[in-house]
Amino acid sequence: RRAGGGPSGSTSLTEKTPFTVFADKFAIVAAKKDDWKAKLKLLETLPTSTSPHSLSPLIIPFQTLLMDPRSTLVKHAFVSLQALCLQNPTTCGKLLESLTGTLIALFCQTVKVIQHLSLKASLSLCPIFPSTSISHLCSSASSVPQKSGRVLCLT
């Protein structure tokens, strides 16, 4: 769907994809900070089918879900992220690269359940990372103040 053009006949390049629709719905649900069940329910509707569309609209929703203090949301976000990347390996590189800092921050948490989920998810996502993302991950290691985060980057 494209926005209507003006008198010159031009149209907006903003096209609604399944991922932008999900991101728009997530922004509405995320505004209610304590409604974690709604976030979980919405996460179940995330399209995972192979798509030529960019996954960049999903950066903010995944950052929000992964940084949630509830381990159940973090776990489901990791499962969805992995499924999404397995179905869309050619377009998930930018998404994973943008989430690198979030993954490192999760591993540095003191909550052992979330720390373990982060390590498990990071290791399962490594084969999907394009070579440019791996170099990004290695360069991220130098900016992480926690030793545990640097270890994760280099593992």
mmCIF file of all heavy atoms in Angstrom, residues 66 68-72 74-76 78-79 82 102-125 148-149 152 155:
data_model
loop_
_atom_site.group_PDB
_atom_site.id
_atom_site.type_symbol
_atom_site.label_atom_id
_atom_site.label_comp_id
_atom_site.label_asym_id
_atom_site.label_seq_id
_atom_site.Cartn_x
_atom_site.Cartn_y
_atom_site.Cartn_z
ATOM 1 N N LEU A 66 13.979 -7.730 24.373
ATOM 2 C CA LEU A 66 15.157 -8.371 24.949
ATOM 3 C C LEU A 66 15.599 -7.705 26.249
ATOM 4 O O LEU A 66 16.177 -8.361 27.109
ATOM 5 C CB LEU A 66 16.309 -8.391 23.939
ATOM 6 C CG LEU A 66 16.085 -9.290 22.728
ATOM 7 C CD1 LEU A 66 17.190 -9.097 21.709
ATOM 8 C CD2 LEU A 66 15.993 -10.751 23.143
ATOM 9 N N ASP A 68 13.565 -6.434 28.449
ATOM 10 C CA ASP A 68 12.509 -6.538 29.447
ATOM 11 C C ASP A 68 13.010 -7.371 30.627
ATOM 12 O O ASP A 68 13.719 -8.355 30.426
ATOM 13 C CB ASP A 68 11.265 -7.200 28.824
ATOM 14 C CG ASP A 68 10.039 -7.010 29.667
ATOM 15 O OD1 ASP A 68 9.902 -7.746 30.673
ATOM 16 O OD2 ASP A 68 9.223 -6.136 29.348
ATOM 17 N N PRO A 69 12.668 -7.015 31.841
ATOM 18 C CA PRO A 69 13.154 -7.775 32.994
ATOM 19 C C PRO A 69 12.490 -9.147 33.172
ATOM 20 O O PRO A 69 12.963 -9.953 33.968
ATOM 21 C CB PRO A 69 12.827 -6.866 34.189
ATOM 22 C CG PRO A 69 11.751 -5.965 33.724
ATOM 23 C CD PRO A 69 11.932 -5.813 32.238
ATOM 24 N N ARG A 70 11.448 -9.418 32.415
ATOM 25 C CA ARG A 70 10.772 -10.712 32.541
ATOM 26 C C ARG A 70 11.441 -11.733 31.621
ATOM 27 O O ARG A 70 11.451 -11.587 30.411
ATOM 28 C CB ARG A 70 9.296 -10.574 32.190
ATOM 29 C CG ARG A 70 8.543 -9.743 33.188
ATOM 30 C CD ARG A 70 7.156 -9.417 32.668
ATOM 31 N NE ARG A 70 6.539 -8.384 33.453
ATOM 32 C CZ ARG A 70 6.727 -7.079 33.242
ATOM 33 N NH1 ARG A 70 7.511 -6.666 32.277
ATOM 34 N NH2 ARG A 70 6.130 -6.190 33.993
ATOM 35 N N SER A 71 11.971 -12.786 32.219
ATOM 36 C CA SER A 71 12.721 -13.776 31.446
ATOM 37 C C SER A 71 11.852 -14.484 30.418
ATOM 38 O O SER A 71 12.347 -14.903 29.373
ATOM 39 C CB SER A 71 13.397 -14.791 32.367
ATOM 40 O OG SER A 71 12.435 -15.476 33.139
ATOM 41 N N THR A 72 10.553 -14.602 30.664
ATOM 42 C CA THR A 72 9.687 -15.265 29.692
ATOM 43 C C THR A 72 9.607 -14.460 28.389
ATOM 44 O O THR A 72 9.597 -15.037 27.303
ATOM 45 C CB THR A 72 8.290 -15.552 30.279
ATOM 46 O OG1 THR A 72 7.585 -16.388 29.384
ATOM 47 C CG2 THR A 72 7.495 -14.293 30.517
ATOM 48 N N VAL A 74 11.979 -12.396 27.322
ATOM 49 C CA VAL A 74 13.313 -12.498 26.722
ATOM 50 C C VAL A 74 13.448 -13.834 25.984
ATOM 51 O O VAL A 74 13.916 -13.886 24.853
ATOM 52 C CB VAL A 74 14.416 -12.336 27.792
ATOM 53 C CG1 VAL A 74 15.793 -12.585 27.201
ATOM 54 C CG2 VAL A 74 14.346 -10.954 28.420
ATOM 55 N N LYS A 75 12.998 -14.890 26.628
ATOM 56 C CA LYS A 75 13.086 -16.220 26.015
ATOM 57 C C LYS A 75 12.299 -16.280 24.708
ATOM 58 O O LYS A 75 12.803 -16.739 23.683
ATOM 59 C CB LYS A 75 12.556 -17.279 26.983
ATOM 60 C CG LYS A 75 12.564 -18.673 26.409
ATOM 61 C CD LYS A 75 11.979 -19.666 27.386
ATOM 62 C CE LYS A 75 11.943 -21.058 26.768
ATOM 63 N NZ LYS A 75 11.338 -22.026 27.674
ATOM 64 N N HIS A 76 11.053 -15.798 24.731
ATOM 65 C CA HIS A 76 10.236 -15.832 23.513
ATOM 66 C C HIS A 76 10.792 -14.901 22.432
ATOM 67 O O HIS A 76 10.689 -15.203 21.237
ATOM 68 C CB HIS A 76 8.778 -15.487 23.847
ATOM 69 C CG HIS A 76 8.060 -16.631 24.477
ATOM 70 N ND1 HIS A 76 8.102 -16.877 25.827
ATOM 71 C CD2 HIS A 76 7.298 -17.606 23.942
ATOM 72 C CE1 HIS A 76 7.398 -17.955 26.099
ATOM 73 N NE2 HIS A 76 6.892 -18.414 24.972
ATOM 74 N N PHE A 78 13.994 -14.307 21.950
ATOM 75 C CA PHE A 78 15.118 -15.030 21.363
ATOM 76 C C PHE A 78 14.639 -16.118 20.400
ATOM 77 O O PHE A 78 15.198 -16.279 19.317
ATOM 78 C CB PHE A 78 15.990 -15.672 22.441
ATOM 79 C CG PHE A 78 17.008 -14.745 23.031
ATOM 80 C CD1 PHE A 78 17.184 -14.675 24.393
ATOM 81 C CD2 PHE A 78 17.814 -13.953 22.229
ATOM 82 C CE1 PHE A 78 18.124 -13.834 24.956
ATOM 83 C CE2 PHE A 78 18.762 -13.103 22.773
ATOM 84 C CZ PHE A 78 18.918 -13.055 24.138
ATOM 85 N N VAL A 79 13.613 -16.847 20.790
ATOM 86 C CA VAL A 79 13.078 -17.906 19.928
ATOM 87 C C VAL A 79 12.552 -17.304 18.621
ATOM 88 O O VAL A 79 12.825 -17.816 17.529
ATOM 89 C CB VAL A 79 11.971 -18.704 20.668
ATOM 90 C CG1 VAL A 79 11.211 -19.613 19.720
ATOM 91 C CG2 VAL A 79 12.576 -19.504 21.810
ATOM 92 N N GLN A 82 15.509 -16.046 16.451
ATOM 93 C CA GLN A 82 16.198 -17.145 15.793
ATOM 94 C C GLN A 82 15.382 -17.686 14.616
ATOM 95 O O GLN A 82 15.916 -17.902 13.534
ATOM 96 C CB GLN A 82 16.491 -18.262 16.789
ATOM 97 C CG GLN A 82 17.313 -19.379 16.187
ATOM 98 C CD GLN A 82 17.661 -20.442 17.203
ATOM 99 O OE1 GLN A 82 17.063 -20.528 18.268
ATOM 100 N NE2 GLN A 82 18.624 -21.265 16.874
ATOM 101 N N THR A 102 22.682 -4.984 22.513
ATOM 102 C CA THR A 102 21.638 -5.502 23.398
ATOM 103 C C THR A 102 21.988 -6.904 23.874
ATOM 104 O O THR A 102 21.844 -7.229 25.055
ATOM 105 C CB THR A 102 20.280 -5.512 22.671
ATOM 106 O OG1 THR A 102 20.002 -4.199 22.193
ATOM 107 C CG2 THR A 102 19.158 -5.962 23.577
ATOM 108 N N LEU A 103 22.479 -7.753 22.964
ATOM 109 C CA LEU A 103 22.854 -9.121 23.330
ATOM 110 C C LEU A 103 23.992 -9.118 24.342
ATOM 111 O O LEU A 103 23.992 -9.898 25.295
ATOM 112 C CB LEU A 103 23.251 -9.915 22.082
ATOM 113 C CG LEU A 103 22.136 -10.175 21.081
ATOM 114 C CD1 LEU A 103 22.700 -10.814 19.813
ATOM 115 C CD2 LEU A 103 21.065 -11.054 21.685
ATOM 116 N N ILE A 104 24.951 -8.231 24.147
ATOM 117 C CA ILE A 104 26.081 -8.143 25.080
ATOM 118 C C ILE A 104 25.594 -7.658 26.441
ATOM 119 O O ILE A 104 25.982 -8.189 27.480
ATOM 120 C CB ILE A 104 27.176 -7.216 24.517
ATOM 121 C CG1 ILE A 104 27.774 -7.841 23.250
ATOM 122 C CG2 ILE A 104 28.266 -6.969 25.555
ATOM 123 C CD1 ILE A 104 28.649 -6.895 22.467
ATOM 124 N N ALA A 105 24.729 -6.657 26.450
ATOM 125 C CA ALA A 105 24.191 -6.130 27.706
ATOM 126 C C ALA A 105 23.423 -7.209 28.468
ATOM 127 O O ALA A 105 23.498 -7.285 29.699
ATOM 128 C CB ALA A 105 23.298 -4.929 27.439
ATOM 129 N N LEU A 106 22.698 -8.052 27.756
ATOM 130 C CA LEU A 106 21.959 -9.124 28.412
ATOM 131 C C LEU A 106 22.894 -10.131 29.061
ATOM 132 O O LEU A 106 22.638 -10.623 30.153
ATOM 133 C CB LEU A 106 21.056 -9.846 27.404
ATOM 134 C CG LEU A 106 19.810 -9.107 26.995
ATOM 135 C CD1 LEU A 106 19.107 -9.841 25.874
ATOM 136 C CD2 LEU A 106 18.886 -8.933 28.171
ATOM 137 N N PHE A 107 23.985 -10.426 28.384
ATOM 138 C CA PHE A 107 24.931 -11.386 28.940
ATOM 139 C C PHE A 107 25.608 -10.835 30.193
ATOM 140 O O PHE A 107 25.996 -11.582 31.079
ATOM 141 C CB PHE A 107 25.983 -11.772 27.895
ATOM 142 C CG PHE A 107 26.894 -12.863 28.383
ATOM 143 C CD1 PHE A 107 26.442 -14.165 28.482
ATOM 144 C CD2 PHE A 107 28.191 -12.578 28.765
ATOM 145 C CE1 PHE A 107 27.278 -15.167 28.940
ATOM 146 C CE2 PHE A 107 29.029 -13.576 29.223
ATOM 147 C CZ PHE A 107 28.567 -14.877 29.307
ATOM 148 N N CYS A 108 25.720 -9.531 30.280
ATOM 149 C CA CYS A 108 26.369 -8.892 31.429
ATOM 150 C C CYS A 108 25.424 -8.707 32.619
ATOM 151 O O CYS A 108 25.855 -8.232 33.665
ATOM 152 C CB CYS A 108 26.945 -7.537 31.015
ATOM 153 S SG CYS A 108 28.236 -7.683 29.769
ATOM 154 N N GLN A 109 24.168 -9.073 32.467
ATOM 155 C CA GLN A 109 23.210 -8.939 33.569
ATOM 156 C C GLN A 109 23.547 -9.900 34.696
ATOM 157 O O GLN A 109 24.211 -10.919 34.499
ATOM 158 C CB GLN A 109 21.795 -9.265 33.087
ATOM 159 C CG GLN A 109 21.106 -8.135 32.441
ATOM 160 C CD GLN A 109 19.601 -8.385 32.377
ATOM 161 O OE1 GLN A 109 19.062 -9.284 33.001
ATOM 162 N NE2 GLN A 109 18.926 -7.559 31.613
ATOM 163 N N THR A 110 23.050 -9.590 35.871
ATOM 164 C CA THR A 110 23.261 -10.476 37.018
ATOM 165 C C THR A 110 22.184 -11.548 37.127
ATOM 166 O O THR A 110 22.343 -12.503 37.869
ATOM 167 C CB THR A 110 23.291 -9.660 38.334
ATOM 168 O OG1 THR A 110 22.076 -8.931 38.439
ATOM 169 C CG2 THR A 110 24.472 -8.720 38.346
ATOM 170 N N VAL A 111 21.102 -11.403 36.367
ATOM 171 C CA VAL A 111 20.044 -12.416 36.373
ATOM 172 C C VAL A 111 20.534 -13.609 35.558
ATOM 173 O O VAL A 111 20.693 -13.524 34.339
ATOM 174 C CB VAL A 111 18.724 -11.853 35.789
ATOM 175 C CG1 VAL A 111 17.627 -12.913 35.791
ATOM 176 C CG2 VAL A 111 18.291 -10.616 36.548
ATOM 177 N N LYS A 112 20.795 -14.709 36.252
ATOM 178 C CA LYS A 112 21.424 -15.877 35.620
ATOM 179 C C LYS A 112 20.569 -16.474 34.499
ATOM 180 O O LYS A 112 21.097 -16.928 33.495
ATOM 181 C CB LYS A 112 21.742 -16.952 36.661
ATOM 182 C CG LYS A 112 22.776 -16.518 37.670
ATOM 183 C CD LYS A 112 24.112 -16.305 37.019
ATOM 184 C CE LYS A 112 25.150 -15.926 38.052
ATOM 185 N NZ LYS A 112 26.395 -15.513 37.476
ATOM 186 N N VAL A 113 19.252 -16.477 34.666
ATOM 187 C CA VAL A 113 18.372 -17.047 33.630
ATOM 188 C C VAL A 113 18.526 -16.265 32.327
ATOM 189 O O VAL A 113 18.699 -16.845 31.258
ATOM 190 C CB VAL A 113 16.899 -17.042 34.102
ATOM 191 C CG1 VAL A 113 15.965 -17.456 32.985
ATOM 192 C CG2 VAL A 113 16.720 -17.935 35.306
ATOM 193 N N ILE A 114 18.490 -14.941 32.420
ATOM 194 C CA ILE A 114 18.610 -14.104 31.224
ATOM 195 C C ILE A 114 20.026 -14.185 30.672
ATOM 196 O O ILE A 114 20.224 -14.246 29.457
ATOM 197 C CB ILE A 114 18.192 -12.650 31.532
ATOM 198 C CG1 ILE A 114 16.686 -12.612 31.835
ATOM 199 C CG2 ILE A 114 18.535 -11.720 30.376
ATOM 200 C CD1 ILE A 114 16.138 -11.271 32.211
ATOM 201 N N GLN A 115 21.015 -14.236 31.538
ATOM 202 C CA GLN A 115 22.404 -14.365 31.094
ATOM 203 C C GLN A 115 22.596 -15.667 30.313
ATOM 204 O O GLN A 115 23.206 -15.674 29.241
ATOM 205 C CB GLN A 115 23.328 -14.333 32.310
ATOM 206 C CG GLN A 115 24.787 -14.235 31.970
ATOM 207 C CD GLN A 115 25.644 -14.220 33.218
ATOM 208 O OE1 GLN A 115 25.442 -15.035 34.123
ATOM 209 N NE2 GLN A 115 26.576 -13.301 33.278
ATOM 210 N N HIS A 116 22.029 -16.749 30.817
ATOM 211 C CA HIS A 116 22.127 -18.037 30.127
ATOM 212 C C HIS A 116 21.388 -18.004 28.783
ATOM 213 O O HIS A 116 21.888 -18.518 27.781
ATOM 214 C CB HIS A 116 21.571 -19.154 31.017
ATOM 215 C CG HIS A 116 21.580 -20.493 30.367
ATOM 216 N ND1 HIS A 116 22.739 -21.191 30.127
ATOM 217 C CD2 HIS A 116 20.566 -21.241 29.876
ATOM 218 C CE1 HIS A 116 22.437 -22.335 29.511
ATOM 219 N NE2 HIS A 116 21.126 -22.378 29.353
ATOM 220 N N LEU A 117 20.186 -17.402 28.768
ATOM 221 C CA LEU A 117 19.440 -17.278 27.513
ATOM 222 C C LEU A 117 20.234 -16.490 26.476
ATOM 223 O O LEU A 117 20.252 -16.833 25.293
ATOM 224 C CB LEU A 117 18.096 -16.583 27.760
ATOM 225 C CG LEU A 117 17.008 -17.386 28.438
ATOM 226 C CD1 LEU A 117 15.843 -16.484 28.817
ATOM 227 C CD2 LEU A 117 16.539 -18.508 27.537
ATOM 228 N N SER A 118 20.890 -15.429 26.937
ATOM 229 C CA SER A 118 21.676 -14.597 26.031
ATOM 230 C C SER A 118 22.831 -15.378 25.428
ATOM 231 O O SER A 118 23.080 -15.299 24.220
ATOM 232 C CB SER A 118 22.198 -13.373 26.782
ATOM 233 O OG SER A 118 23.052 -12.631 25.960
ATOM 234 N N LEU A 119 23.537 -16.121 26.248
ATOM 235 C CA LEU A 119 24.660 -16.914 25.745
ATOM 236 C C LEU A 119 24.178 -17.961 24.756
ATOM 237 O O LEU A 119 24.729 -18.092 23.661
ATOM 238 C CB LEU A 119 25.399 -17.574 26.906
ATOM 239 C CG LEU A 119 26.551 -18.495 26.505
ATOM 240 C CD1 LEU A 119 27.633 -17.703 25.775
ATOM 241 C CD2 LEU A 119 27.120 -19.189 27.720
ATOM 242 N N LYS A 120 23.125 -18.674 25.123
ATOM 243 C CA LYS A 120 22.575 -19.721 24.255
ATOM 244 C C LYS A 120 22.107 -19.143 22.920
ATOM 245 O O LYS A 120 22.406 -19.679 21.855
ATOM 246 C CB LYS A 120 21.423 -20.418 24.981
ATOM 247 C CG LYS A 120 20.846 -21.592 24.256
ATOM 248 C CD LYS A 120 19.749 -22.242 25.079
ATOM 249 C CE LYS A 120 19.060 -23.328 24.296
ATOM 250 N NZ LYS A 120 17.943 -23.917 25.031
ATOM 251 N N ALA A 121 21.392 -18.033 22.984
ATOM 252 C CA ALA A 121 20.885 -17.409 21.752
ATOM 253 C C ALA A 121 22.022 -16.864 20.902
ATOM 254 O O ALA A 121 22.013 -17.020 19.678
ATOM 255 C CB ALA A 121 19.912 -16.300 22.093
ATOM 256 N N SER A 122 22.998 -16.230 21.535
ATOM 257 C CA SER A 122 24.123 -15.668 20.773
ATOM 258 C C SER A 122 24.887 -16.759 20.048
ATOM 259 O O SER A 122 25.263 -16.602 18.890
ATOM 260 C CB SER A 122 25.063 -14.898 21.702
ATOM 261 O OG SER A 122 24.395 -13.809 22.262
ATOM 262 N N LEU A 123 25.102 -17.871 20.726
ATOM 263 C CA LEU A 123 25.819 -18.983 20.091
ATOM 264 C C LEU A 123 25.006 -19.603 18.966
ATOM 265 O O LEU A 123 25.560 -20.000 17.948
ATOM 266 C CB LEU A 123 26.196 -20.033 21.136
ATOM 267 C CG LEU A 123 27.240 -19.592 22.160
ATOM 268 C CD1 LEU A 123 27.446 -20.667 23.211
ATOM 269 C CD2 LEU A 123 28.550 -19.226 21.479
ATOM 270 N N SER A 124 23.683 -19.657 19.132
ATOM 271 C CA SER A 124 22.857 -20.232 18.066
ATOM 272 C C SER A 124 22.726 -19.282 16.873
ATOM 273 O O SER A 124 22.491 -19.718 15.752
ATOM 274 C CB SER A 124 21.474 -20.605 18.594
ATOM 275 O OG SER A 124 20.734 -19.451 18.903
ATOM 276 N N LEU A 125 22.882 -17.965 17.108
ATOM 277 C CA LEU A 125 22.773 -16.999 16.022
ATOM 278 C C LEU A 125 24.100 -16.795 15.275
ATOM 279 O O LEU A 125 24.103 -16.280 14.171
ATOM 280 C CB LEU A 125 22.274 -15.655 16.551
ATOM 281 C CG LEU A 125 20.827 -15.635 17.028
ATOM 282 C CD1 LEU A 125 20.516 -14.310 17.719
ATOM 283 C CD2 LEU A 125 19.866 -15.871 15.880
ATOM 284 N N SER A 148 32.828 -10.149 31.324
ATOM 285 C CA SER A 148 31.937 -11.203 30.830
ATOM 286 C C SER A 148 31.401 -10.866 29.436
ATOM 287 O O SER A 148 31.222 -11.751 28.605
ATOM 288 C CB SER A 148 30.780 -11.429 31.799
ATOM 289 O OG SER A 148 30.042 -10.235 31.991
ATOM 290 N N GLY A 149 31.160 -9.592 29.172
ATOM 291 C CA GLY A 149 30.691 -9.184 27.846
ATOM 292 C C GLY A 149 31.767 -9.351 26.796
ATOM 293 O O GLY A 149 31.487 -9.758 25.667
ATOM 294 N N LEU A 152 31.981 -12.983 25.895
ATOM 295 C CA LEU A 152 30.894 -13.382 25.001
ATOM 296 C C LEU A 152 31.214 -12.981 23.564
ATOM 297 O O LEU A 152 31.024 -13.742 22.636
ATOM 298 C CB LEU A 152 29.568 -12.736 25.421
ATOM 299 C CG LEU A 152 28.388 -12.982 24.466
ATOM 300 C CD1 LEU A 152 28.020 -14.470 24.458
ATOM 301 C CD2 LEU A 152 27.209 -12.144 24.851
ATOM 302 N N THR A 155 33.854 -15.334 22.121
ATOM 303 C CA THR A 155 33.604 -16.778 22.199
ATOM 304 C C THR A 155 33.191 -17.327 20.878
ATOM 305 O O THR A 155 32.501 -17.070 20.118
ATOM 306 C CB THR A 155 32.520 -17.082 23.249
ATOM 307 O OG1 THR A 155 32.977 -16.645 24.499
ATOM 308 C CG2 THR A 155 32.229 -18.549 23.321
#
